[in-house]
Amino acid sequence: SLEGLEAMTAIGQSIFLNSVPALKSVSGLRGVAGALPGSLSITYADQLVSLDGLEGITAIWQDKSGKSIVLLGVPALQSIFGLRGLAGALKGGLAIESAAQLTSLRGLENLTSASLISVNSAGQLSSLHGLGGLRAISELSLDSNSELHSLVGLNRTYLQMDKLSVLRNAKLRSLYGCDGISVLQSLSIKSNGALQ
């Protein structure tokens, strides 16, 4: 638990919560508000269910690798709605990997651009609802999301994108939802067994 940190209102650089397998909540950070000058990294947090407590953060910059948000090895995470305070441009990228219970990307609706959105092995994710506010993504990567049926949820009016990679999503039936994309530099579609 992060209880005991409630009086903290700002963090001068980054939030790293790494190799914390018993951590169940980040609600102790609910007093933190405004921009995070560095990045948010939560890795190998086996029991974390949600990001509730981070809703006061309005912007996140990036780490040296160009990532703003890394959620890795979070098998119990069901929701990222705690990121709903983020608005405008995400300075770097968002990487989600090994989040077996993640059902939705809700919470990202107020983002308008990002360098990277990468979602890998999010076992319960069925659509991309939550990404509809994004008008520019340099790269979108979707890999091994076993319940992803379509790309519905992307901005259907206008979406500037350079690279789209859709790999090993076993139940993906269509690319419906990409209506807003008119030009790509790179398109990679591979091993999506149900794609018709």
Side-chain angles (χ1 to χ4, degrees):
S1 170
L2 301 180
E3 297 302 322
L5 298 177
E6 293 84 353
M8 188 183 309
T9 59
I11 293 178
Q13 191 60 34
S14 298
I15 297 174
F16 291 108
L17 302 172
N18 300 338
S19 297
V20 284
L23 184 69
K24 296 181 179 179
S25 169
V26 294
S27 62
L29 296 176
R30 58 184 173 271
V32 176
L36 192 63
S39 62
L40 169 66
S41 175
I42 303 176
T43 63
Y44 306 110
D46 295 354
Q47 297 187 45
L48 187 66
V49 175
S50 79
L51 301 182
D52 292 350
L54 301 179
E55 51 272 5
I57 298 175
T58 57
I60 302 177
W61 291 79
Q62 59 187 358
D63 62 16
K64 292 179 180 180
S65 71
K67 302 272 193 339
S68 294
I69 302 169
V70 175
L71 302 171
L72 167 64
V74 283
L77 187 68
Q78 298 175 13
S79 167
I80 60 170
F81 193 60
L83 298 176
R84 62 188 178 275
L86 294 175
L90 190 66
K91 304 303 180 184
L94 164 67
I96 300 173
E97 184 171 348
S98 299
Q101 297 301 315
L102 186 65
T103 61
S104 169
L105 297 177
R106 299 273 185 198
L108 304 176
E109 289 86 349
N110 294 320
L111 290 178
T112 57
S113 66
S115 64
L116 167 72
I117 301 289
S118 175
V119 184
N120 300 340
S121 302
Q124 299 300 314
L125 188 70
S126 61
S127 75
L128 300 182
H129 287 296
L131 301 183
L134 288 162
R135 295 177 59 81
I137 309 171
S138 297
E139 179 180 352
L140 175 62
S141 175
L142 304 167
D143 189 345
S144 303
N145 300 294
S146 59
E147 295 297 321
L148 187 65
H149 296 152
S150 76
L151 304 188
V152 170
L154 293 173
N155 191 315
R156 295 184 61 191
T157 303
Y158 176 82
L159 179 56
Q160 179 182 341
M161 187 182 297
D162 294 331
K163 181 178 181 180
L164 175 61
S165 178
V166 184
L167 310 174
R168 295 177 288 270
N169 300 284
K171 293 185 180 180
L172 186 71
R173 295 191 296 264
S174 79
L175 299 179
Y176 184 72
C178 292
D179 315 50
I181 303 170
S182 59
V183 178
L184 280 171
Q185 299 299 321
S186 174
L187 174 63
S188 179
I189 299 173
K190 181 180 179 181
S191 301
N192 299 285
L195 189 62
Q196 300 176 354

